[in-house]
Amino acid sequence: LAWSEWRSGVDKPGALQRAAASARAVSESMPNSAWSYAPYLVNAMILNETGDGLAAEHWIRRGVAVTGYDLDRDPRAAVQHMVLAQALLLQGRREEARAQVDRGLALAERTKVAARIRQGLATIRAALEAVPLGRVGGGARQAGAPHSARPAD
């Protein structure tokens, strides 16, 4: 719901705050569920959209910790590679982003990964090849990414 609210543009800051609250609630109520990572993923995707790659990286890494997926074997991890690569790219950490894309694409080649995830990884790979060396956004928080939406450890 938070992702569709975000994409509709109706209440972007509110959607981000609801996604953060959802992540906390789901992880507390279903700590070992495969669904427990979804709110973390949504938060990371929203933060990537705002250009806040640092916060997105934090959320997706927490989601990875929640799932316990083998990031080189579990097909569900391909989306995590994609979102993390985008967050790293936003921070200008190109080599780390490239490594995540490569891991995601290798995983996609060995397993049945949705075409949209493959396309997303290929798009990030193309962005890595097209953007000259240097910082690529994500330096400052942008509108719609309130500090309160950042995860508290």
Side-chain angles (χ1 to χ4, degrees):
L1 180 59
W3 179 247
S4 61
E5 288 176 352
W6 171 265
R7 297 299 287 178
S8 74
V10 174
D11 180 17
K12 288 190 175 197
L16 188 57
Q17 289 172 339
R18 283 187 292 284
S22 176
R24 285 189 295 276
V26 170
S27 66
E28 290 169 3
S29 66
M30 300 185 299
N32 298 318
S33 167
W35 287 101
S36 62
Y37 86 99
Y40 296 95
L41 177 65
V42 169
N43 267 326
M45 291 168 63
I46 289 171
L47 288 162
N48 275 339
E49 289 280 321
T50 69
D52 192 347
L54 186 61
E57 177 189 5
H58 188 76
W59 276 101
I60 195 64
R61 288 194 188 280
R62 286 188 64 196
V64 168
V66 166
T67 64
Y69 294 156
D70 181 333
L71 294 181
D72 293 312
R73 295 174 119 165
D74 194 315
R76 297 171 291 185
V79 71
Q80 294 169 337
H81 287 299
M82 180 183 69
V83 174
L84 181 54
Q86 184 179 9
L88 294 168
L89 180 59
L90 284 169
Q91 296 174 61
R93 295 163 56 191
R94 298 169 55 80
E95 292 308 313
E96 292 172 78
R98 185 182 314 278
Q100 288 300 318
V101 168
D102 290 346
R103 286 176 73 187
L105 287 170
L107 181 62
E109 288 175 11
R110 291 191 313 271
T111 61
K112 291 184 178 183
V113 173
R116 290 184 74 174
I117 303 304
R118 290 174 193 256
Q119 181 181 7
L121 287 162
T123 299
I124 295 168
R125 160 78 61 78
L128 281 163
E129 293 170 358
V131 176
L133 290 175
R135 193 157 180 85
V136 183
R141 278 190 16 251
Q142 300 199 3
H147 189 289
S148 62
R150 294 172 190 251
D153 288 325

